Amino acid sequence: MERWRNKVAIVSGASSGIGAACARSLVLAGLQVVGLARRQQRVEQLRDELQTAEQRQRLHALRCDIRQETEVVEAFRWARDQLGGVHVLVSNAGVMATTELSGAANTSAIRETIETNIMGGVYCVREAFQTMKQQRVEGLPEGEQGEGVGAAGELGCGMQEGHVIIINSVAGQQVPNLGPQLPSLNIYPATKFALRAMQEIYRQEFQRHKTRVRVSTISPGIVDTDILPAQLQGVIKEHMPMLSSMDVADAMLWILSTPPNVQVQNITIKPQGEKF
């Protein structure tokens, strides 16, 4: 992780749950972290809870609704202007609607899920990559900068390393059958299947541009966060094992710690004893 020290990471959905755990872990690993959230004050509270003044200075809270393209563009512009760009993106923000896919008058809830889970990720990854592919390694001679394959056959000779990590779900691998007694998962698994396909598309595109940007996903099982609808909270917490947000953050740190030549496609983690 030492090579990431003082680099800039952006975490979407940083106000709670997995996003907050990832933001905190990245700060403790020595990165500058920009936490994006609609609830900006929750990220500010997380910053205040950090133990040292140096750690608190490393966490920046920005209000950003990732469903709004203009807000995402402005957030990444701020990171570029104030911190020099972005080297790591943790695309985490997501929601789960409380409706049925075939239910009446469900358009608003379904649209919010799609716009957050898919389009919000599209905006964030796009803006991150546009910054990452332009960053150069300081100290190299001018002739060694730029896109292309280096003498040793390395992609993006002279370019800074970047990493996009997308928080997905086991619901993007198989649609869980919760049975008729529990609420429908509606469009949520479909958005997670989309993220699974998008990760491979990004991998191909990043390679096409001959960059040193990697892209990975983490697909956790049930995590104890407030994304779960109230109807599921009581049943799941009482009867099913759950991961903690820190379990996911630990997986994120492991992905970042792998050598630059290692492309981690996906990590699937489940709580021991999960029934799905």
Side-chain angles (χ1 to χ4, degrees), residues 75-86 131 134:
F76 279 83
R77 181 182 295 117
W78 183 92
R80 183 191 65 213
D81 293 345
Q82 300 298 319
L83 302 174
V86 57
T131 299
Q134 295 172 10

Side-chain angles (χ1 to χ4, degrees), residues 199-241:
Q199 186 270 343
E200 174 59 17
I201 293 169
Y202 286 134
R203 187 192 70 83
Q204 295 177 16
E205 291 184 354
F206 296 173
Q207 186 177 38
R208 180 179 298 127
H209 286 274
K210 296 181 172 61
T211 71
R212 299 181 66 215
V213 181
R214 298 182 289 167
V215 55
S216 309
T217 59
I218 302 174
S219 298
I222 300 175
V223 184
D224 188 6
T225 71
D226 58 10
I227 192 177
L228 294 173
Q231 301 98 310
L232 286 174
Q233 287 278 1
V235 175
I236 289 178
K237 286 189 175 183
E238 184 177 351
H239 299 290
M240 298 183 186

Side-chain angles (χ1 to χ4, degrees), residues 97-107 109-110 183-189:
T98 55
T99 185
E100 290 188 344
L101 193 56
S102 57
N106 65 359
T107 301
I110 296 298
S184 168
L185 293 176
N186 53 83
I187 202 72
Y188 180 79

Side-chain angles (χ1 to χ4, degrees), residues 88 147 215:
V88 175
E147 294 187 356
V215 55

Side-chain angles (χ1 to χ4, degrees), residues 86-89 128-135 162-164 213:
V86 57
H87 305 89
V88 175
L89 169 67
F129 181 64
Q130 292 305 309
T131 299
M132 290 175 181
K133 74 177 184 177
Q134 295 172 10
Q135 300 196 95
H163 209 133
V164 172
V213 181

Side-chain angles (χ1 to χ4, degrees), residues 5 21 25 32 34 118 164:
R5 188 169 184 81
S25 293
Q32 292 277 346
V34 181
I118 298 179
V164 172

